[in-house]
Amino acid sequence: MLLLVVFVIQGIGLQAIRTIEMRTKLLAESLDSILKPTSSLPTTCLMVIHPLEGKEITQAPAKLDTGASQNLITRQFASSLGLEVGRYRDPPLRPIGPLVHPGGVVSFDWHVSGMQTTYTTTLAVLEDHDCQDLGFDILLCEDEIKKIKFYLRNAA
């Protein structure tokens, strides 16, 4: 009788483990299907920056960041484009880490390579000491990405 009780208890334990394993597998598959569409979205686009007088057309990769609230450009890259830097009047930016005080703002016209629509974009200028190891010269924020409807147009 004792052996039968132990066997029944072990059987219930195995069934519970199988149920947990099955639920874990289903949860992992659900997460996989939710995450797959966004993981295949591009994280950069090629900008064609319309030239200022006396300048050449410039093509530059721009990082697309749906978590960013402000468009950014490095001072070095803004200078290479010959852009006039205006005064930055908004509050400091708070990336992961200490506050960043942009050194100004710039605006320019551009279009996505291969597309016709021209956009005018204003970007906060990051000072050189705030740009080390960022991995981009231009970053477009969530609002800008929505404005150009980039993911709607380029969704797979």
Side-chain angles (χ1 to χ4, degrees):
M1 178 89 169
L2 182 61
L3 286 175
L4 182 60
V5 171
V6 170
F7 180 73
V8 170
I9 291 172
Q10 285 179 341
I12 292 171
L14 289 175
Q15 183 60 35
I17 289 171
R18 285 189 190 121
T19 302
I20 291 170
E21 286 175 348
M22 188 170 58
R23 287 182 180 169
T24 303
K25 183 179 177 189
L26 289 172
L27 179 60
E29 288 172 359
S30 296
L31 287 174
D32 235 15
S33 67
I34 291 168
L35 296 176
K36 271 186 185 174
T38 56
S39 64
S40 64
L41 292 174
T43 57
T44 61
C45 73
L46 185 60
M47 297 177 81
V48 179
I49 299 169
H50 299 188
L52 300 174
E53 191 173 319
K55 289 282 188 178
E56 299 280 321
I57 291 177
T58 302
Q59 292 190 355
K63 181 175 181 162
L64 304 174
D65 187 346
T66 57
S69 60
Q70 183 127 20
N71 298 315
L72 304 172
I73 187 169
T74 62
R75 180 169 294 277
Q76 182 178 6
F77 193 68
S79 295
S80 75
L81 296 173
L83 298 172
E84 184 177 323
V85 178
R87 188 167 176 208
Y88 182 82
R89 299 180 193 281
D90 291 330
L93 305 175
R94 182 174 290 283
I96 298 172
L99 288 176
V100 173
H101 299 274
V105 294
V106 296
S107 292
F108 56 82
D109 294 337
W110 64 282
H111 67 272
V112 176
S113 180
M115 298 183 185
Q116 300 301 316
T117 306
T118 297
Y119 303 96
T120 301
T121 300
T122 301
L123 303 97
V125 177
L126 295 179
E127 297 297 349
D128 294 336
H129 60 275
D130 290 325
C131 297
Q132 296 170 357
D133 303 320
L134 286 181
F136 65 85
D137 286 320
I138 296 175
L139 180 138
L140 298 179
C141 71
E142 179 180 18
D143 289 344
E144 196 71 22
I145 294 166
K146 286 178 183 175
K147 182 172 84 175
I148 64 176
K149 298 179 176 87
F150 188 81
Y151 287 138
L152 295 177
R153 234 182 284 186
N154 294 299

